[in-house]
Amino acid sequence: MRVLVLGGTSFLSKTVAAEAVRRGHEVVCAARGLSGSVPEGARHVRVDRDEPGSIDVLAGERFDAVVDIAYTGLRWVRDALRTITTRHWTYVSTINTYADTATLGQTAESPQHEPIERDRIDLAEMTPEVYGGVQVACEHAARDALGGRLFIVRPGQITGPGDYMDRFGYWPSRFSRGGRVVVPDTPKQPFQHVDVRDLAAWIVTAGEQRLTGAFDAVSPVAPLGPVLEEIADLVAPPGTELVPVTEETLTAAGVQPWFGPKSLPLWLPASHHGLAAHDASAAQAAGLEIRPLADTVHAALDEERARGLDRPRKAGLTPDEEVALIRD
Ligand SMILES: NC(=O)c1ccc[n+]([C@@H]2O[C@H](COP(=O)([O-])OP(=O)(O)OC[C@H]3O[C@@H](n4cnc5c(N)ncnc54)[C@H](OP(=O)(O)O)[C@@H]3O)[C@@H](O)[C@H]2O)c1
C-alpha cells in the first residue's frame, strides 16, 4: 500500500508509520518535523497544517490509506479532506467524544457531545468537553466527505513507548523507587488503556483490510486495585508498601484525579468512571489485539528511565507531596 500518515514524528502517528514500514508499505509522513524524525524507511514531506496552503504539496498524489491524528479543530481536517485522494481514511478521535462520563459499558453507538464547529482550538481552551465536542465535529466532517471509506478510532488513554503524558508511566516509575507508595483507595474503580503498539498495528491492518465504521480503541476493563498491584509486583523492590488513601483525604489535601500537577494518575471520581469502562468487545472482534499489561509496564518504565525518573512531571505526586499525605 501507499500510506500517508499526517504526523509521523511522535508517539501514535510515528508508531503507525513505523509499523506500516515494517510491513513493507510505502510510507509518507507529512509533518513539520519539530516533534522528532520520521521512522527509518518512511519519506518525510514537510507540511505545516497551520500554514495556509502548506498541505497542497500532497495534492495530486494518490494513497491507499491515510491516517490522520488531527486534534486542533476543523481546519486541519477539512484541509486534508479537500486535498488528499485515498481509498481508506483512518481518523483518530477520542473517548472524550462521549457525553456521558459516568455510565459503564458504553459502546461506539452511545451519545456523543454536540459538535463544536471550531476551526482552531488552543491548548488553553482544551477542556475534555471542548476537545470532545470539537472532535465530534471533526468526525462529522470526515464522515460527510468520505462516507463508507472512513474508519474512526476513539482511543482511551494511550500507553507504551513514546508516551509523553506522564500519566500511566507514573506508576512503574514510582513503584520502581520502592518505599511507601500512596495509591488511591479505589480498588474497584475501572481501568482501561490501549498500548500504542497495539493501536498502531490495528490501524495499519484496518487500512490493509479497508475496515470502516467507528470503534472504541480500549482494552477490556480491569479494576484499578489489582492493576496497581500487578505493576508493583513487576517493578517494585522488595519491601515496597502500597498505602491506600481515601478519596476524601486526597480531595481535602488538594490532590487532583487523573492528571496534572499534584495528581494521582489513573484515579477517577465516580462521575468519570465511564471514561475508563467502555465496551472493548467490538474493537476486539474487529481485530484489535491487546498485549499483556506486563509488556506495557516494562515499556513504560524504559520510557520513564529514558526521560529521567526525577524530571518535573505533568502528572503525579512529588516525593514531598506523597510524604505529607502519609504523615497527615
Ligand atoms: N495520548 C492519549 O492518551 C490519547 C488518548 C485519546 C486520544 N488521543 C488522540 O490520539 C491522537 C494521537 O495523539 P498523539 O499524542 O500520539 O499525537 P502524535 O501522533 O504524537 O501527533 C502529533 C503529530 O502531529 C504533528 N503536528 C503537530 N503540529 C503540526 C502542524 N502544525 N503541522 C503538521 N503536523 C503537525 C507532529 O509533528 P511535528 O511537530 O513534527 O510537525 C506529530 O507528528 C490525537 O488525535 C490525540 O488527540 C490521544
PDB file of all heavy atoms in Angstrom, residues 95-96 98-106 110-111 113 129 189-190 192 268-278:
ATOM      1  N   ILE A  95     -12.022   8.962  23.209  1.00  0.00           N
ATOM      2  CA  ILE A  95     -13.084   8.513  24.110  1.00  0.00           C
ATOM      3  C   ILE A  95     -13.783   9.736  24.729  1.00  0.00           C
ATOM      4  O   ILE A  95     -14.909   9.633  25.207  1.00  0.00           O
ATOM      5  CB  ILE A  95     -12.487   7.588  25.204  1.00  0.00           C
ATOM      6  CG1 ILE A  95     -13.461   6.510  25.629  1.00  0.00           C
ATOM      7  CG2 ILE A  95     -11.970   8.362  26.395  1.00  0.00           C
ATOM      8  CD1 ILE A  95     -13.546   5.348  24.721  1.00  0.00           C
ATOM      9  N   ASN A  96     -13.107  10.892  24.694  1.00  0.00           N
ATOM     10  CA  ASN A  96     -13.708  12.117  25.245  1.00  0.00           C
ATOM     11  C   ASN A  96     -14.861  12.648  24.403  1.00  0.00           C
ATOM     12  O   ASN A  96     -15.468  13.661  24.758  1.00  0.00           O
ATOM     13  CB  ASN A  96     -12.654  13.222  25.387  1.00  0.00           C
ATOM     14  CG  ASN A  96     -11.715  12.971  26.537  1.00  0.00           C
ATOM     15  OD1 ASN A  96     -10.547  12.667  26.340  1.00  0.00           O
ATOM     16  ND2 ASN A  96     -12.222  13.071  27.749  1.00  0.00           N
ATOM     17  N   TYR A  98     -17.651  11.185  24.106  1.00  0.00           N
ATOM     18  CA  TYR A  98     -18.925  10.733  24.675  1.00  0.00           C
ATOM     19  C   TYR A  98     -19.446  11.719  25.724  1.00  0.00           C
ATOM     20  O   TYR A  98     -18.681  12.235  26.558  1.00  0.00           O
ATOM     21  CB  TYR A  98     -18.781   9.333  25.287  1.00  0.00           C
ATOM     22  CG  TYR A  98     -18.494   8.329  24.209  1.00  0.00           C
ATOM     23  CD1 TYR A  98     -17.203   7.877  23.980  1.00  0.00           C
ATOM     24  CD2 TYR A  98     -19.510   7.888  23.358  1.00  0.00           C
ATOM     25  CE1 TYR A  98     -16.925   6.982  22.950  1.00  0.00           C
ATOM     26  CE2 TYR A  98     -19.242   7.000  22.322  1.00  0.00           C
ATOM     27  CZ  TYR A  98     -17.949   6.550  22.132  1.00  0.00           C
ATOM     28  OH  TYR A  98     -17.674   5.683  21.106  1.00  0.00           O
ATOM     29  N   ALA A  99     -20.764  11.959  25.652  1.00  0.00           N
ATOM     30  CA  ALA A  99     -21.381  12.971  26.511  1.00  0.00           C
ATOM     31  C   ALA A  99     -21.475  12.507  27.967  1.00  0.00           C
ATOM     32  O   ALA A  99     -21.381  13.311  28.889  1.00  0.00           O
ATOM     33  CB  ALA A  99     -22.774  13.299  25.978  1.00  0.00           C
ATOM     34  N   ASP A 100     -21.680  11.210  28.154  1.00  0.00           N
ATOM     35  CA  ASP A 100     -21.896  10.662  29.498  1.00  0.00           C
ATOM     36  C   ASP A 100     -20.573  10.082  29.999  1.00  0.00           C
ATOM     37  O   ASP A 100     -20.070   9.104  29.436  1.00  0.00           O
ATOM     38  CB  ASP A 100     -22.986   9.579  29.389  1.00  0.00           C
ATOM     39  CG  ASP A 100     -23.250   8.868  30.708  1.00  0.00           C
ATOM     40  OD1 ASP A 100     -22.485   9.064  31.673  1.00  0.00           O
ATOM     41  OD2 ASP A 100     -24.225   8.092  30.758  1.00  0.00           O
ATOM     42  N   THR A 101     -20.021  10.699  31.020  1.00  0.00           N
ATOM     43  CA  THR A 101     -18.712  10.259  31.510  1.00  0.00           C
ATOM     44  C   THR A 101     -18.831   9.247  32.661  1.00  0.00           C
ATOM     45  O   THR A 101     -17.819   8.706  33.102  1.00  0.00           O
ATOM     46  CB  THR A 101     -17.880  11.461  32.024  1.00  0.00           C
ATOM     47  OG1 THR A 101     -18.632  12.130  33.037  1.00  0.00           O
ATOM     48  CG2 THR A 101     -17.539  12.413  30.894  1.00  0.00           C
ATOM     49  N   ALA A 102     -20.062   9.011  33.138  1.00  0.00           N
ATOM     50  CA  ALA A 102     -20.222   8.187  34.345  1.00  0.00           C
ATOM     51  C   ALA A 102     -20.630   6.746  34.057  1.00  0.00           C
ATOM     52  O   ALA A 102     -20.176   5.825  34.743  1.00  0.00           O
ATOM     53  CB  ALA A 102     -21.271   8.826  35.264  1.00  0.00           C
ATOM     54  N   THR A 103     -21.469   6.531  33.055  1.00  0.00           N
ATOM     55  CA  THR A 103     -22.073   5.203  32.844  1.00  0.00           C
ATOM     56  C   THR A 103     -21.053   4.204  32.300  1.00  0.00           C
ATOM     57  O   THR A 103     -20.322   4.504  31.345  1.00  0.00           O
ATOM     58  CB  THR A 103     -23.263   5.327  31.867  1.00  0.00           C
ATOM     59  OG1 THR A 103     -24.185   6.266  32.423  1.00  0.00           O
ATOM     60  CG2 THR A 103     -23.952   3.991  31.663  1.00  0.00           C
ATOM     61  N   LEU A 104     -21.037   3.020  32.908  1.00  0.00           N
ATOM     62  CA  LEU A 104     -20.112   1.968  32.482  1.00  0.00           C
ATOM     63  C   LEU A 104     -20.683   1.231  31.266  1.00  0.00           C
ATOM     64  O   LEU A 104     -21.891   1.209  31.057  1.00  0.00           O
ATOM     65  CB  LEU A 104     -19.895   0.960  33.615  1.00  0.00           C
ATOM     66  CG  LEU A 104     -19.612   1.502  35.024  1.00  0.00           C
ATOM     67  CD1 LEU A 104     -19.274   0.342  35.970  1.00  0.00           C
ATOM     68  CD2 LEU A 104     -18.470   2.504  35.012  1.00  0.00           C
ATOM     69  N   GLY A 105     -19.803   0.638  30.490  1.00  0.00           N
ATOM     70  CA  GLY A 105     -20.231  -0.274  29.423  1.00  0.00           C
ATOM     71  C   GLY A 105     -20.753   0.389  28.170  1.00  0.00           C
ATOM     72  O   GLY A 105     -21.448  -0.239  27.375  1.00  0.00           O
ATOM     73  N   GLN A 106     -20.419   1.667  27.952  1.00  0.00           N
ATOM     74  CA  GLN A 106     -20.900   2.324  26.740  1.00  0.00           C
ATOM     75  C   GLN A 106     -20.178   1.763  25.507  1.00  0.00           C
ATOM     76  O   GLN A 106     -19.099   1.182  25.601  1.00  0.00           O
ATOM     77  CB  GLN A 106     -20.668   3.829  26.843  1.00  0.00           C
ATOM     78  CG  GLN A 106     -21.508   4.471  27.943  1.00  0.00           C
ATOM     79  CD  GLN A 106     -21.302   5.974  28.002  1.00  0.00           C
ATOM     80  OE1 GLN A 106     -21.646   6.694  27.075  1.00  0.00           O
ATOM     81  NE2 GLN A 106     -20.727   6.439  29.090  1.00  0.00           N
ATOM     82  N   SER A 110     -23.012   4.983  21.678  1.00  0.00           N
ATOM     83  CA  SER A 110     -23.507   5.813  22.792  1.00  0.00           C
ATOM     84  C   SER A 110     -23.483   7.289  22.400  1.00  0.00           C
ATOM     85  O   SER A 110     -22.711   7.695  21.531  1.00  0.00           O
ATOM     86  CB  SER A 110     -22.646   5.566  24.029  1.00  0.00           C
ATOM     87  OG  SER A 110     -22.794   4.230  24.456  1.00  0.00           O
ATOM     88  N   PRO A 111     -24.346   8.093  23.040  1.00  0.00           N
ATOM     89  CA  PRO A 111     -24.461   9.508  22.652  1.00  0.00           C
ATOM     90  C   PRO A 111     -23.150  10.274  22.822  1.00  0.00           C
ATOM     91  O   PRO A 111     -22.449  10.107  23.830  1.00  0.00           O
ATOM     92  CB  PRO A 111     -25.524  10.058  23.600  1.00  0.00           C
ATOM     93  CG  PRO A 111     -26.254   8.874  24.113  1.00  0.00           C
ATOM     94  CD  PRO A 111     -25.315   7.719  24.096  1.00  0.00           C
ATOM     95  N   HIS A 113     -21.015  14.177  22.547  1.00  0.00           N
ATOM     96  CA  HIS A 113     -21.242  15.609  22.753  1.00  0.00           C
ATOM     97  C   HIS A 113     -21.836  16.215  21.485  1.00  0.00           C
ATOM     98  O   HIS A 113     -21.643  15.699  20.384  1.00  0.00           O
ATOM     99  CB  HIS A 113     -19.912  16.331  23.018  1.00  0.00           C
ATOM    100  CG  HIS A 113     -19.340  16.067  24.382  1.00  0.00           C
ATOM    101  ND1 HIS A 113     -19.966  16.453  25.545  1.00  0.00           N
ATOM    102  CD2 HIS A 113     -18.183  15.463  24.752  1.00  0.00           C
ATOM    103  CE1 HIS A 113     -19.219  16.099  26.586  1.00  0.00           C
ATOM    104  NE2 HIS A 113     -18.134  15.489  26.132  1.00  0.00           N
ATOM    105  N   GLU A 129     -14.297  18.461  27.638  1.00  0.00           N
ATOM    106  CA  GLU A 129     -15.593  18.620  26.967  1.00  0.00           C
ATOM    107  C   GLU A 129     -15.433  19.356  25.632  1.00  0.00           C
ATOM    108  O   GLU A 129     -16.028  18.975  24.626  1.00  0.00           O
ATOM    109  CB  GLU A 129     -16.576  19.393  27.859  1.00  0.00           C
ATOM    110  CG  GLU A 129     -16.987  18.653  29.127  1.00  0.00           C
ATOM    111  CD  GLU A 129     -15.892  18.615  30.202  1.00  0.00           C
ATOM    112  OE1 GLU A 129     -15.011  19.501  30.200  1.00  0.00           O
ATOM    113  OE2 GLU A 129     -15.915  17.672  31.032  1.00  0.00           O
ATOM    114  N   GLN A 189     -12.355   0.733  41.115  1.00  0.00           N
ATOM    115  CA  GLN A 189     -12.527   1.708  40.045  1.00  0.00           C
ATOM    116  C   GLN A 189     -12.071   1.099  38.711  1.00  0.00           C
ATOM    117  O   GLN A 189     -11.078   0.380  38.653  1.00  0.00           O
ATOM    118  CB  GLN A 189     -11.663   2.935  40.380  1.00  0.00           C
ATOM    119  CG  GLN A 189     -11.748   4.034  39.357  1.00  0.00           C
ATOM    120  CD  GLN A 189     -10.432   4.752  39.150  1.00  0.00           C
ATOM    121  OE1 GLN A 189      -9.929   5.367  40.080  1.00  0.00           O
ATOM    122  NE2 GLN A 189      -9.878   4.687  37.943  1.00  0.00           N
ATOM    123  N   PRO A 190     -12.786   1.388  37.601  1.00  0.00           N
ATOM    124  CA  PRO A 190     -12.371   0.796  36.325  1.00  0.00           C
ATOM    125  C   PRO A 190     -11.083   1.404  35.776  1.00  0.00           C
ATOM    126  O   PRO A 190     -10.791   2.582  35.999  1.00  0.00           O
ATOM    127  CB  PRO A 190     -13.539   1.104  35.385  1.00  0.00           C
ATOM    128  CG  PRO A 190     -14.241   2.265  35.995  1.00  0.00           C
ATOM    129  CD  PRO A 190     -14.041   2.164  37.481  1.00  0.00           C
ATOM    130  N   GLN A 192      -8.822   1.132  31.984  1.00  0.00           N
ATOM    131  CA  GLN A 192      -8.535   0.556  30.673  1.00  0.00           C
ATOM    132  C   GLN A 192      -7.583   1.468  29.925  1.00  0.00           C
ATOM    133  O   GLN A 192      -7.417   2.633  30.266  1.00  0.00           O
ATOM    134  CB  GLN A 192      -9.809   0.224  29.869  1.00  0.00           C
ATOM    135  CG  GLN A 192     -10.643   1.377  29.477  1.00  0.00           C
ATOM    136  CD  GLN A 192     -11.990   0.969  28.851  1.00  0.00           C
ATOM    137  OE1 GLN A 192     -12.816   1.821  28.699  1.00  0.00           O
ATOM    138  NE2 GLN A 192     -12.236  -0.277  28.503  1.00  0.00           N
ATOM    139  N   LEU A 268      -9.929   8.114  39.163  1.00  0.00           N
ATOM    140  CA  LEU A 268     -11.061   8.839  38.577  1.00  0.00           C
ATOM    141  C   LEU A 268     -12.188   8.921  39.591  1.00  0.00           C
ATOM    142  O   LEU A 268     -12.526   7.902  40.223  1.00  0.00           O
ATOM    143  CB  LEU A 268     -11.600   8.094  37.348  1.00  0.00           C
ATOM    144  CG  LEU A 268     -10.826   8.214  36.040  1.00  0.00           C
ATOM    145  CD1 LEU A 268     -11.367   7.208  35.027  1.00  0.00           C
ATOM    146  CD2 LEU A 268     -10.913   9.632  35.490  1.00  0.00           C
ATOM    147  N   PRO A 269     -12.819  10.087  39.738  1.00  0.00           N
ATOM    148  CA  PRO A 269     -14.023  10.146  40.574  1.00  0.00           C
ATOM    149  C   PRO A 269     -15.156   9.373  39.897  1.00  0.00           C
ATOM    150  O   PRO A 269     -15.135   9.159  38.674  1.00  0.00           O
ATOM    151  CB  PRO A 269     -14.342  11.637  40.636  1.00  0.00           C
ATOM    152  CG  PRO A 269     -13.669  12.242  39.442  1.00  0.00           C
ATOM    153  CD  PRO A 269     -12.500  11.374  39.105  1.00  0.00           C
ATOM    154  N   ALA A 270     -16.152   8.964  40.683  1.00  0.00           N
ATOM    155  CA  ALA A 270     -17.257   8.147  40.145  1.00  0.00           C
ATOM    156  C   ALA A 270     -17.934   8.827  38.961  1.00  0.00           C
ATOM    157  O   ALA A 270     -18.397   8.163  38.031  1.00  0.00           O
ATOM    158  CB  ALA A 270     -18.262   7.866  41.254  1.00  0.00           C
ATOM    159  N   SER A 271     -17.960  10.159  38.971  1.00  0.00           N
ATOM    160  CA  SER A 271     -18.597  10.895  37.871  1.00  0.00           C
ATOM    161  C   SER A 271     -17.899  10.643  36.536  1.00  0.00           C
ATOM    162  O   SER A 271     -18.437  10.956  35.480  1.00  0.00           O
ATOM    163  CB  SER A 271     -18.547  12.397  38.168  1.00  0.00           C
ATOM    164  OG  SER A 271     -17.184  12.807  38.343  1.00  0.00           O
ATOM    165  N   HIS A 272     -16.679  10.065  36.576  1.00  0.00           N
ATOM    166  CA  HIS A 272     -15.913   9.848  35.348  1.00  0.00           C
ATOM    167  C   HIS A 272     -15.505   8.386  35.146  1.00  0.00           C
ATOM    168  O   HIS A 272     -14.685   8.100  34.264  1.00  0.00           O
ATOM    169  CB  HIS A 272     -14.682  10.763  35.338  1.00  0.00           C
ATOM    170  CG  HIS A 272     -15.043  12.196  35.087  1.00  0.00           C
ATOM    171  ND1 HIS A 272     -15.697  12.970  36.014  1.00  0.00           N
ATOM    172  CD2 HIS A 272     -14.888  12.982  33.996  1.00  0.00           C
ATOM    173  CE1 HIS A 272     -15.916  14.173  35.514  1.00  0.00           C
ATOM    174  NE2 HIS A 272     -15.439  14.210  34.293  1.00  0.00           N
ATOM    175  N   HIS A 273     -16.084   7.487  35.915  1.00  0.00           N
ATOM    176  CA  HIS A 273     -15.713   6.070  35.753  1.00  0.00           C
ATOM    177  C   HIS A 273     -16.027   5.557  34.350  1.00  0.00           C
ATOM    178  O   HIS A 273     -15.358   4.660  33.842  1.00  0.00           O
ATOM    179  CB  HIS A 273     -16.433   5.208  36.796  1.00  0.00           C
ATOM    180  CG  HIS A 273     -15.817   5.289  38.161  1.00  0.00           C
ATOM    181  ND1 HIS A 273     -16.229   4.524  39.224  1.00  0.00           N
ATOM    182  CD2 HIS A 273     -14.799   6.054  38.630  1.00  0.00           C
ATOM    183  CE1 HIS A 273     -15.502   4.811  40.294  1.00  0.00           C
ATOM    184  NE2 HIS A 273     -14.626   5.741  39.949  1.00  0.00           N
ATOM    185  N   GLY A 274     -17.072   6.125  33.749  1.00  0.00           N
ATOM    186  CA  GLY A 274     -17.456   5.668  32.404  1.00  0.00           C
ATOM    187  C   GLY A 274     -16.346   5.844  31.380  1.00  0.00           C
ATOM    188  O   GLY A 274     -16.257   5.087  30.404  1.00  0.00           O
ATOM    189  N   LEU A 275     -15.482   6.829  31.591  1.00  0.00           N
ATOM    190  CA  LEU A 275     -14.409   7.095  30.628  1.00  0.00           C
ATOM    191  C   LEU A 275     -13.388   5.966  30.570  1.00  0.00           C
ATOM    192  O   LEU A 275     -12.637   5.863  29.603  1.00  0.00           O
ATOM    193  CB  LEU A 275     -13.679   8.399  31.004  1.00  0.00           C
ATOM    194  CG  LEU A 275     -14.400   9.693  30.655  1.00  0.00           C
ATOM    195  CD1 LEU A 275     -13.578  10.880  31.139  1.00  0.00           C
ATOM    196  CD2 LEU A 275     -14.646   9.783  29.156  1.00  0.00           C
ATOM    197  N   ALA A 276     -13.344   5.150  31.620  1.00  0.00           N
ATOM    198  CA  ALA A 276     -12.381   4.042  31.641  1.00  0.00           C
ATOM    199  C   ALA A 276     -13.102   2.705  31.670  1.00  0.00           C
ATOM    200  O   ALA A 276     -12.572   1.720  32.173  1.00  0.00           O
ATOM    201  CB  ALA A 276     -11.458   4.180  32.846  1.00  0.00           C
ATOM    202  N   ALA A 277     -14.333   2.691  31.142  1.00  0.00           N
ATOM    203  CA  ALA A 277     -15.113   1.447  31.239  1.00  0.00           C
ATOM    204  C   ALA A 277     -15.953   1.223  29.983  1.00  0.00           C
ATOM    205  O   ALA A 277     -17.087   0.763  30.049  1.00  0.00           O
ATOM    206  CB  ALA A 277     -16.005   1.500  32.472  1.00  0.00           C
ATOM    207  N   HIS A 278     -15.377   1.557  28.827  1.00  0.00           N
ATOM    208  CA  HIS A 278     -16.121   1.305  27.579  1.00  0.00           C
ATOM    209  C   HIS A 278     -16.062  -0.176  27.222  1.00  0.00           C
ATOM    210  O   HIS A 278     -15.161  -0.911  27.631  1.00  0.00           O
ATOM    211  CB  HIS A 278     -15.573   2.181  26.454  1.00  0.00           C
ATOM    212  CG  HIS A 278     -16.217   3.533  26.430  1.00  0.00           C
ATOM    213  ND1 HIS A 278     -17.071   3.942  25.438  1.00  0.00           N
ATOM    214  CD2 HIS A 278     -16.163   4.555  27.319  1.00  0.00           C
ATOM    215  CE1 HIS A 278     -17.513   5.152  25.708  1.00  0.00           C
ATOM    216  NE2 HIS A 278     -16.963   5.559  26.838  1.00  0.00           N
TER     217      HIS A 278
END
